[in-house]
Amino acid sequence: MVIGSDILPKILIPGLKTNVGGSLIAQNSIFGWILSGPVAEQISTFSTQVVEGSADSLGDLLKRFWEQEEVPSAPTHTDDDEFCEELYKNTTYRREDGRYVVKLPFKSTFPDSTALGHSRPAAQQQYLSIERSIEKKAELQTTYSKVLEEYLTLDHMEPTKSREIIRDGNYFSFYLPHHAVIKPDSKTTKVRVVFNASKLSHSGLSLNDVLHTGPVLQNDLMLIILKWRLYKYVFNGDIEKMYRQIYVHKEDQDFQRILFRRSPERPIEDVKLKQLHLALTVLPIWP
């Protein structure tokens, strides 16, 4: 929107935010927030284009403008967020090979009032169902098995007992159902395995229900894009198997059990995942 300087004083209203995203200034107006800040290179020319508006009313257009252009507020941390931060600061350590080891952020009410029930039968039922569904797709079945076998080859999972861990009537193990996500257009991983920590156990609670979610650690995408104007080149990268470079503490690995077998003719195996596979858990703070 191009506004003449003679109109500018008439549209500004109280409200000024500095250091938005590190380099922007936000001034409130009757149309919403106006962002201003430095650019990477000098702008010598610019062009404008006038397009006939749609039949939407001015009120609807302004409402959508405010919703889309609202400056994000600073994130607020809850008591649960603080608990997760302290947990990882106090318990995270690095192995000799440089990889981090983290604990799962269990709620303080676990296992007293938020307890898990048995989960192996449901995980086995779902695994057999998925196995039957991909039997007719030989290539997918082979690829799916290879992906899981790679976990064993890379020592990202190891065999465990088929009996669930029960102490004082409480379950201290959990079986993660899993399924394949197919992306034929992907240049790197066309088939990946997704583990479902939201599957309910016999108690009516899932593993997600007994874990803290933790704060969002990713930078705001809109602010990242806004900062692109400050640089001539922008690079985008992908770290292969990034989450699998982080180990879960040995005493928590039994909460990441899965079932699989290399072929339908072989018996089902019980294994536990040694790396981080729960998207909701907080990652350690990198130094």
Side-chain angles (χ1 to χ4, degrees):
M1 180 184 297
V2 179
I3 302 175
S5 59
D6 57 327
I7 303 297
L8 194 60
K10 298 180 181 180
I11 67 171
L12 296 180
I13 59 177
L16 179 68
K17 296 183 179 181
T18 60
N19 197 30
V20 176
S23 61
L24 298 176
I25 297 177
Q27 171 67 57
N28 203 5
S29 72
I30 61 174
F31 300 114
W33 291 91
I34 300 174
L35 293 177
S36 59
V39 296
E41 298 181 4
Q42 182 179 358
I43 299 177
S44 57
T45 61
F46 68 92
S47 61
T48 61
Q49 182 178 8
V50 179
V51 181
E52 182 179 358
S54 62
D56 295 335
S57 65
L58 179 61
D60 293 337
L61 291 174
L62 288 177
K63 181 181 178 181
R64 287 206 301 270
F65 177 82
W66 287 328
E67 291 173 349
Q68 295 173 3
E69 303 298 331
E70 184 68 25
V71 176
S73 57
T76 56
H77 279 199
T78 64
D79 292 340
D80 292 344
D81 296 340
E82 296 294 338
F83 172 85
C84 290
E85 292 281 4
E86 290 301 317
L87 173 70
Y88 285 108
K89 287 180 181 178
N90 296 331
T91 62
T92 301
Y93 67 92
R94 298 183 73 172
R95 297 167 18 132
E96 293 182 356
D97 59 5
R99 288 181 171 83
Y100 285 90
V101 180
V102 300
K103 288 187 63 64
L104 298 182
F106 287 99
K107 295 179 179 179
S108 58
T109 54
F110 175 79
D112 299 326
S113 57
T114 54
L116 293 172
H118 63 72
S119 55
R120 191 182 188 280
Q124 179 172 330
Q125 181 180 4
Q126 180 168 332
Y127 178 71
L128 293 175
S129 175
I130 292 176
E131 189 178 58
R132 288 192 297 268
S133 67
I134 64 175
E135 276 183 354
K136 299 178 181 179
K137 304 174 183 178
E139 183 178 354
L140 174 59
Q141 186 179 35
T142 301
T143 305
Y144 192 69
S145 297
K146 285 183 178 179
V147 172
L148 289 175
E149 285 183 17
E150 182 189 50
Y151 278 75
L152 288 172
T153 303
L154 298 177
D155 195 32
H156 290 178
M157 66 181 183
E158 64 181 23
T160 187
K161 297 179 180 179
S162 60
R163 290 177 295 178
E164 300 189 60
I165 300 176
I166 306 174
R167 294 196 297 267
D168 298 327
N170 294 316
Y171 283 77
F172 290 89
S173 59
F174 187 83
Y175 282 81
L176 300 168
H178 51 88
H179 62 276
V181 173
I182 306 171
K183 291 186 177 181
D185 298 331
S186 175
K187 295 181 180 179
T188 54
T189 307
K190 297 184 182 298
V191 177
R192 65 186 182 93
V193 180
V194 175
F195 304 97
N196 181 15
S198 296
K199 179 69 174 180
L200 299 181
S201 67
H202 189 257
S203 69
L205 296 176
S206 68
L207 181 60
N208 283 352
D209 293 327
V210 301
L211 295 177
H212 289 292
T213 303
V216 177
L217 299 181
Q218 293 88 347
N219 292 326
D220 184 86
L221 182 59
M222 188 186 79
L223 294 180
I224 292 176
I225 295 176
L226 285 173
K227 289 181 179 180
W228 283 7
R229 76 192 193 288
L230 298 175
Y231 305 95
K232 189 173 182 179
Y233 303 103
V234 177
F235 295 92
N236 180 33
D238 183 23
I239 302 176
E240 184 180 7
K241 300 180 179 65
M242 182 181 72
Y243 293 106
R244 286 165 60 181
Q245 305 306 316
I246 304 170
Y247 280 77
V248 172
H249 198 282
K250 191 170 183 178
E251 65 183 25
D252 291 342
Q253 291 176 6
D254 280 302
F255 291 96
Q256 294 190 153
R257 290 187 177 188
I258 68 168
L259 299 172
F260 96 107
R261 56 182 169 183
R262 295 170 174 82
S263 67
E265 294 77 23
R266 303 185 65 172
I268 292 179
E269 300 179 48
D270 295 61
V271 295
K272 59 182 179 182
L273 302 170
K274 302 168 66 174
Q275 273 74 17
L276 185 67
H277 289 86
L278 305 180
L280 60 81
T281 53
V282 182
L283 299 182
I285 301 173
W286 307 104

